[in-house]
Amino acid sequence: MEDLLVIGAGIFGLTLARKLQRAGHRVTVVEAGAVGAGASATPLGVLAPHAPDTWNPKKEAQFRALVSLPDYLAELEDETGIATGYARCGRLIPLTTENQRSVWERRIADAALNWQGKAMLERVERPDPAWLSAQAAPFGAMLCGLSAKIDARGYLAALAASVGEAVRTGLVLERLEQGVAIFATGERIMARRIVLATGAAAFAHLPHSDSGEPAGRGEKGQAAVLAVSGDVGARPIIFHDGTYVVPRGETMVAVGATSERHFERAETTDALLDEKIARGKALCPALADARVVERWAAARPRAADRGLLVGPHPVLHGVSIATGGFKTGLAMAHMLDIGSVS
Ligand SMILES: Cc1cc2nc3c(=O)[nH]c(=O)nc-3n(C[C@H](O)[C@H](O)[C@H](O)COP(=O)(O)OP(=O)(O)OC[C@H]3O[C@@H](n4cnc5c(N)ncnc54)[C@H](O)[C@@H]3O)c2cc1C
């Protein structure tokens, strides 16, 4: 019998496996595809705070996650020698109406208070039109100094290296019973505790609520990577109306993401991504002649209340759940508490 079995080698499963190992547990991680086969390998890698006004415990928790992540990553990089590409690059939010400008200007004071001197929110009267189109920002832009980016694939590779031999790939979970995971090959793995970290697929193993609602669902997202001419490495992220433009390295830019509630296949891309790329190009003139080098899609794990779903399985003794990162899993994963799953 295994001590702890973690199912799913995304950001949640690998982070928990590493923490559990460090706490002295013997951990095995099993994964249907390869490490990072799910939503965690997003090319966007945005780490952005909620708006700093109407502060609440959820915003405070995300703020604490964002400000503690650099030290956590530095330690992971020291241990593994693998770069995670973290950079506090900032995020430009174009202002398209006068009302929007006054709302955001009021938030400058909220940021000064709630971000506790760790970062600032500033107004930029005239953003560089070579990066943020002047037409897209008729009232200037806000620069969110707390926003950062990460190379999600590097982050996953570093976690996998840290976890080491414990990861077994090619095992597809079919069903769970008390203390046993049963895989498509027929293999049964017994464990003192099983942690279900299969992202959007985890909800299928959870009962519906009393009112018949599922515990969560997958929400598909598509994103692309474009090669640009010229060095964009020092540019900030741009975010407008659901569209992100994220410099990746010196000559790559990621654009995304779509949000699709209804879909047949999570991993295919289509015309919705082309529309998203067009929106990215309208925001950012540097993308005008850019060439698409990658099209990517996956299902985000969206819990019914959009929060994290971490804790004991409501029915199966010896099984825990760790999912629900939705759009912020990369920023939040390192804050997961192993006490709630072990
Ligand atoms: C387009 C898009 C863009 C995103 N951008 C960002 C962003 O910029 N910043 C951010 O913080 N978050 C972003 N997210 C959200 C983020 O990806 C998720 O919050 C996070 O990755 C969820 O991690 P996870 O480990 O729970 O799930 P996953 O990464 O999906 O991991 C689940 C793992 O379980 C495996 N698995 C599934 N079913 C089985 C099975 N039956 N048996 C065995 N293994 C199985 C999968 O192969 C996968 O490897 C984005 C998501 C999408 C789709």
Side-chain angles (χ1 to χ4, degrees):
M1 171 157 16
E2 304 286 335
D3 182 16
L4 268 135
L5 176 68
V6 176
I7 309 176
I11 201 77
F12 274 36
L14 291 173
T15 300
L16 283 170
R18 179 170 184 256
K19 287 186 179 216
L20 288 163
Q21 276 183 340
R22 291 186 154 206
H25 295 283
R26 213 161 28 82
V27 183
T28 303
V29 182
V30 294
E31 161 60 44
V35 165
S40 299
T42 166
L44 291 181
V46 173
L47 307 166
H50 296 292
D53 53 350
T54 57
W55 204 243
N56 59 35
K58 189 176 163 191
K59 291 187 176 188
E60 176 70 26
Q62 197 218 16
F63 169 75
R64 280 191 279 109
L66 288 171
V67 296
S68 60
L69 187 57
D71 284 347
Y72 173 86
L73 293 172
E75 198 247 332
L76 177 65
E77 291 184 349
D78 276 353
E79 179 202 333
T80 61
I82 298 174
T84 60
Y86 176 89
R88 182 78 90 74
C89 55
R91 177 176 51 130
L92 278 174
I93 302 154
L95 300 170
T96 53
T97 64
E98 198 144 355
N99 180 49
Q100 211 187 10
R101 177 170 66 188
S102 28
V103 168
W104 274 97
E105 277 179 348
R106 282 198 297 275
R107 289 178 176 162
I108 291 174
D110 295 312
L113 177 70
N114 295 321
W115 293 353
Q116 301 161 31
K118 302 281 187 198
M120 281 175 23
L121 180 67
E122 297 167 72
R123 174 135 191 275
V124 184
E125 185 81 38
R126 275 187 209 81
D128 182 350
W131 183 242
L132 175 59
S133 152
Q135 277 163 322
F139 293 87
M142 300 306 293
L143 179 64
C144 165
L146 189 53
S147 293
K149 63 182 176 180
I150 193 163
D151 170 5
R153 295 164 193 186
Y155 189 7
L156 289 162
L159 287 170
S162 175
V163 169
E165 301 289 300
V167 183
R168 278 181 69 190
T169 55
L171 274 180
V172 180
L173 175 72
E174 210 163 73
R175 64 180 204 282
L176 289 167
E177 290 173 5
Q178 211 108 303
V180 190
I182 298 142
F183 294 88
T185 52
E187 185 173 347
R188 299 165 67 89
I189 302 182
M190 289 173 72
R192 183 182 61 75
R193 171 132 327 242
I194 297 171
V195 183
L196 184 64
T198 50
F203 301 117
H205 299 274
L206 286 164
H208 286 201
S209 69
D210 292 344
S211 57
E213 293 301 309
R217 60 178 170 83
E219 181 180 288
K220 181 171 174 177
Q222 304 181 41
V225 181
L226 286 75
V228 293
S229 51
D231 185 349
V232 295
R235 296 290 196 178
I237 295 165
I238 301 172
F239 176 69
H240 177 61
D241 203 14
T243 300
Y244 277 107
V245 173
V246 188
R248 302 252 52 118
E250 289 175 359
T251 58
M252 297 287 169
V253 175
V255 175
T258 67
S259 286
E260 297 148 68
R261 187 173 182 157
H262 302 288
F263 55 91
E264 276 177 19
R265 295 192 60 199
E267 67 283 3
T268 54
T269 62
D270 56 33
L272 292 175
L273 181 56
D274 298 318
E275 276 171 35
K276 192 49 89 174
I277 294 169
R279 285 189 199 189
K281 288 188 173 187
L283 285 172
C284 180
L287 297 181
D289 300 319
R291 183 171 50 86
V292 176
V293 294
E294 181 184 350
R295 296 167 69 90
W296 180 89
R300 310 170 175 98
R302 178 183 171 143
D305 68 355
R306 296 166 70 119
L308 300 183
L309 190 51
V310 181
H313 190 286
V315 179
L316 292 174
H317 181 71
V319 177
S320 301
I321 312 290
T323 187
F326 194 36
K327 296 187 176 180
T328 61
L330 297 173
M332 300 303 293
H334 71 292
M335 302 297 275
L336 291 173
D337 172 14
I338 53 168
S340 52
V341 296
S342 60

